Amino acid sequence: MSDDRRAPGARPSGQRRPSAQSARARAGGPTRRPATVRVTSTHAHTPKVGDPRTRQRVVTLATLVILVVFAVRLVMIQGVNASELSVAALENRLATSTIEPVRADIVDRNGDIMATSAQRYHVFVNQVALKEFQLIENRQVVAEGPLDAARILAPILGVSESELAADLVGDKTFQYIAKYVTPETWGLINAEGIPGIDREPVTERQYPNGSIGGNVVGFVGGREDKQGVNWGLAGVEAAFENELLGTPGSLTYESDARGGTVIPTGVLEEEEAVPGSTVMLTLDRDIQFYAQQAVEDALKTNGGSQAIALVQDAVSGEFLAIADSGAVDPNDPGATAADARGSRAVQDIFEPGSTAKVVTMAAALEEGVATPTSRYIAPYRYTTDNGQEFKDSHEHEDQKLTLSGVLVTSSNTGTIQVGEDLTEAQRYHYLEAFGFGSPTGVGLPTEVGGILRPWQQWDGRTEWAVLYGQGVAGTALQTSQVYQTIANGGVRVQPSVVKGYETADGEFIARETDEPTRVVSEETADQLMLMLEDVTESGTGGLAKIDGYRVAGKTGTAQAADEDGKLTRIVSSFVGVAPADDPRIVVSVIVWDPKSSIWGGEVAAPVFKDVATFALQALRVPPSGPREELYPTTWE
């Protein structure tokens, strides 16, 4: 009998290994046959332990997949898409700002400044930063916060402390406290070193001559479709905007992710702004000033609602002065009514009246149907072959007048008889050729063309009325243009208020104008000048005579429409040329609704004399030579 010394739980030698079924029975699992004894355990199920080698393979495979994905992506970024992504990243860091060019100057023909742009600043405050303000002197706080800042800055800005404090106190990070501050004033503000106070540079349009030439120069302001307040709204400022503005530039820089800090070594590209060109006017500032004073004085002397005085170069067509009464001050255009901020000389139309009789005379001479000495009998009343009756301004006996005499006495009935030898088409042709019915192209944005209907549309009275300046309407400029054409030997040139442009590099570019147009022959023009000279010597324009100079001209009294379209307003005018023997200037004076008299020879001719005398002296025009023998005005 051998010793049975087995360790606890060891099987006796030779004993069979229990089957899987027996093992399941002992663990409480099901068996193929009923068990006599149920064995229970504290563990319902024992999990199976995985193979660690399998888990390692899975993890390694997943890691390799991820590494391959990253490797492919890195190759795409650094190789295939590197340039594209680099550009995109740079674009995200780039910022571009516009550099606006300074609006160029407007000067008169002598270079005197009529409009300019001055450097100014808009001053603003960061109210939050201003709360930290402290001024320390001798280790003591002598001022702090927005209220003390207001006390310091108010005298510099010329405002009250309470008014300024209202803008300084609060929690806004941006608030304007002053606009269009001069560099000198900003220097005083900046010297105080107050935190939260800063400025933005701006330009301010200035007009040093005030209202002198204001209706021609125009003014600037804001527009609904554009940012800023330096856009031309009237006059030359509007008409020549492109020349004055120049071309904006740009500044492109690389900034940090926040877009607020410039990267010093990053991209920095600047395209400089191209300055605008200085616009040189044809106006002479001194003559313009004098003409404006003259029309204001004329209204005081004669009464009336408005007046115009024009001074035009007889040869070049350039206007030396376009003077409107009540001219706008471009520094404060809001002080002038909206309908008076432009030039009435180019936008108000009226029947020229007797000043247009010279067109009929020119047509008769040019067509060869009359000479200066052709004879007419001019009654007080005259009836045409279609039954239309016309009369002169004053009742008189029948007058035996030459063609020159008809013009000198301003006879309506005589003019009608002259026109009987002209067809309606010829009458229309010469009115159109002298400039009626079309804008002159002078260079002002509000210019109108007046009214000249085709001759086929004339009624039975208009076909005759146009011969003495009724049934047709024009502007003061168009009336002046008629006399410029005659004074220039029968050649009409396009008038202008702009001589040209001076670029930033000093090159002068003359403004392009239309080719001159011959309207009548030089012989016809010379005959007309001598006939017009007699108007001032013995006719209705005696008050226009100037000592030392021969003067040719014509008076006019006509009608203009009121607000209801009715011809209830009176227009008195005088248009003259001096010197008549060597024409240098054409001066036109028009007065609306005069109270002292309705006659142009009494209301407008004295103003002509005053303005023309000054202009001749300013231009240093030498006196006239000996007088020529004038045409006879009557016959026996």
Side-chain angles (χ1 to χ4, degrees):
M1 185 174 186
S2 60
D3 289 339
D4 189 7
R5 296 177 181 177
R6 297 182 294 273
R11 292 194 301 273
S13 61
Q15 186 174 350
R16 181 180 296 174
R17 178 184 295 275
S19 66
Q21 185 178 11
S22 298
R24 285 194 298 272
R26 287 195 302 271
T31 62
R32 293 177 182 263
R33 63 177 182 271
T36 58
V37 179
R38 182 179 298 278
V39 178
T40 60
S41 174
T42 58
H43 299 285
H45 178 73
T46 300
K48 183 178 180 180
V49 177
D51 189 340
R53 289 173 296 179
T54 302
R55 184 166 58 251
Q56 289 175 354
R57 292 190 189 99
V58 172
V59 171
T60 301
L61 180 61
T63 301
L64 288 173
V65 171
I66 292 173
L67 289 175
V68 169
V69 170
F70 277 113
V72 172
R73 182 60 177 161
L74 185 60
V75 170
M76 293 294 292
I77 293 175
Q78 293 186 340
V80 180
N81 297 330
S83 177
E84 178 182 344
L85 294 173
S86 177
V87 170
L90 178 60
E91 289 180 350
N92 288 333
R93 297 193 304 273
L94 291 181
T96 300
S97 60
T98 300
I99 303 174
E100 295 293 343
V102 176
R103 192 178 184 91
D105 292 346
I106 299 175
V107 300
D108 80 341
R109 66 187 304 111
N110 301 311
D112 293 321
I113 292 178
M114 306 294 285
T116 190
S117 295
Q119 179 66 60
R120 293 292 182 265
Y121 297 103
H122 287 346
V123 182
F124 60 87
V125 61
N126 181 330
Q127 296 172 342
V128 177
L130 183 60
K131 293 178 181 180
E132 305 301 322
F133 165 57
Q134 281 190 338
L135 178 61
I136 300 176
E137 294 180 358
N138 299 323
R139 299 182 180 181
Q140 292 185 344
V141 177
V142 296
E144 61 180 339
L147 295 181
D148 282 341
R151 175 177 54 81
I152 296 171
L153 296 178
I156 299 175
L157 293 173
V159 297
S160 66
E161 288 185 32
S162 59
E163 180 183 350
L164 183 56
D167 288 331
L168 297 181
V169 176
D171 297 314
K172 297 179 181 178
T173 57
F174 186 91
Q175 170 70 43
Y176 284 119
I177 61 175
K179 291 189 174 183
Y180 296 109
V181 168
T182 65
E184 293 77 16
T185 299
W186 168 248
L188 296 174
I189 295 172
N190 193 42
E192 298 295 339
I194 300 175
I197 303 296
D198 211 335
R199 89 291 188 204
E200 63 179 9
V202 295
T203 58
E204 182 182 27
R205 200 63 167 166
Q206 295 183 337
Y207 304 89
N209 301 291
S211 65
I212 305 306
N215 295 55
V216 174
V217 174
F219 52 86
V220 299
R223 285 174 47 174
E224 293 182 357
D225 59 332
K226 294 181 180 292
Q227 295 182 343
V229 294
N230 277 323
W231 301 101
L233 300 183
V236 170
E237 291 275 32
F240 297 89
E241 178 100 287
N242 293 337
E243 289 77 10
L244 290 164
L245 279 182
T247 304
S250 63
L251 178 65
T252 301
Y253 56 91
E254 191 174 352
S255 62
D256 61 12
R258 297 179 181 179
T261 304
V262 177
I263 299 176
T265 58
V267 174
L268 184 62
E269 298 177 352
E270 180 177 358
E271 182 178 348
E272 294 185 358
V274 178
S277 296
T278 296
V279 174
M280 177 174 285
L281 304 180
T282 63
L283 301 185
D284 183 297
R285 184 184 60 177
D286 294 340
I287 297 176
Q288 177 73 31
F289 169 78
Y290 195 90
Q292 285 188 216
Q293 288 294 111
V295 294
E296 298 295 349
D297 291 343
L299 293 182
K300 294 177 182 178
T301 301
N302 301 293
S305 57
Q306 65 190 66
I308 293 172
L310 309 176
V311 182
Q312 186 178 17
D313 188 293
V315 178
S316 70
E318 296 175 350
F319 277 97
L320 307 179
I322 297 181
D324 296 90
S325 61
V328 64
D329 183 349
N331 295 299
D332 186 18
T336 303
D339 61 352
R341 294 173 191 166
S343 175
R344 291 190 174 103
V346 300
Q347 65 192 35
D348 285 10
I349 62 173
F350 56 94
E351 291 186 338
S354 294
T355 56
K357 288 176 180 174
V358 70
V359 176
T360 299
M361 304 302 162
L365 291 171
E366 190 70 10
E367 293 297 326
V369 300
T371 68
T373 58
S374 295
R375 298 179 175 185
Y376 303 90
I377 297 177
Y380 169 59
R381 296 177 185 274
Y382 185 80
T383 302
T384 61
D385 56 9
N386 66 343
Q388 298 294 322
E389 184 180 75
F390 298 90
K391 62 181 180 179
D392 282 342
S393 59
H394 299 85
E395 190 169 353
H396 59 78
E397 299 293 331
D398 289 355
Q399 296 176 319
K400 295 181 178 180
L401 301 175
T402 62
L403 182 70
S404 181
V406 170
L407 184 63
V408 169
T409 61
S410 196
S411 171
N412 294 336
T413 60
T415 303
I416 294 292
Q417 293 180 65
V418 174
E420 286 178 331
D421 294 325
L422 298 169
T423 67
E424 293 175 39
Q426 288 173 327
R427 301 170 201 175
Y428 175 87
H429 165 73
Y430 282 95
L431 286 167
E432 182 184 44
F434 273 102
F436 287 107
S438 301
T440 66
V442 70
L444 294 177
T446 57
E447 184 182 16
V448 299
I451 300 173
L452 176 62
R453 295 184 177 87
W455 65 268
Q456 296 90 340
Q457 298 178 12
W458 291 347
D459 59 27
R461 187 166 187 82
T462 300
E463 64 178 283
W464 302 108
V466 294
L467 294 168
Y468 59 88
Q470 293 185 6
V472 59
T475 63
L477 253 67
Q478 289 172 324
T479 302
S480 180
Q481 186 173 240
V482 170
Y483 286 78
Q484 178 276 320
T485 301
I486 296 169
N488 193 37
V491 176
R492 176 168 61 87
V493 296
Q494 182 183 350
S496 180
V497 292
V498 171
K499 287 184 71 69
Y501 325 101
E502 185 175 342
T503 63
D505 57 8
E507 180 185 3
F508 182 80
I509 302 173
R511 183 193 176 208
E512 293 185 4
T513 55
D514 295 339
E515 287 295 320
T517 302
R518 178 162 292 283
V519 178
V520 295
S521 67
E522 187 173 357
E523 180 184 6
T524 295
D526 290 343
Q527 291 173 335
L528 289 170
M529 285 296 296
L530 204 56
M531 292 164 62
L532 289 168
E533 188 175 351
D534 205 1
V535 173
T536 62
E537 286 299 312
S538 60
T540 58
L543 294 179
K545 289 192 291 186
I546 301 174
D547 292 341
Y549 294 93
R550 293 167 57 182
V551 175
K554 185 69 184 74
T555 59
T557 299
Q559 295 173 301
D562 57 22
E563 295 180 354
D564 298 325
K566 299 179 180 179
L567 297 176
T568 61
R569 302 182 66 190
I570 295 296
V571 180
S572 301
S573 60
F574 183 89
V575 187
V577 180
D581 52 329
D582 184 16
R584 288 290 308 276
I585 57 173
V586 178
V587 178
S588 305
V589 178
I590 300 96
V591 181
W592 274 259
D593 308 309
K595 300 298 186 291
S596 61
S597 170
I598 66 172
W599 308 116
E602 298 175 5
V603 173
V607 183
F608 163 89
K609 176 182 179 179
D610 192 17
V611 173
T613 299
F614 180 86
L616 291 169
Q617 293 173 347
L619 297 173
R620 299 182 179 180
V621 177
S624 294
R627 296 189 179 277
E628 296 182 40
E629 183 179 352
L630 302 175
Y631 298 115
T633 57
T634 60
W635 57 275
E636 293 297 335

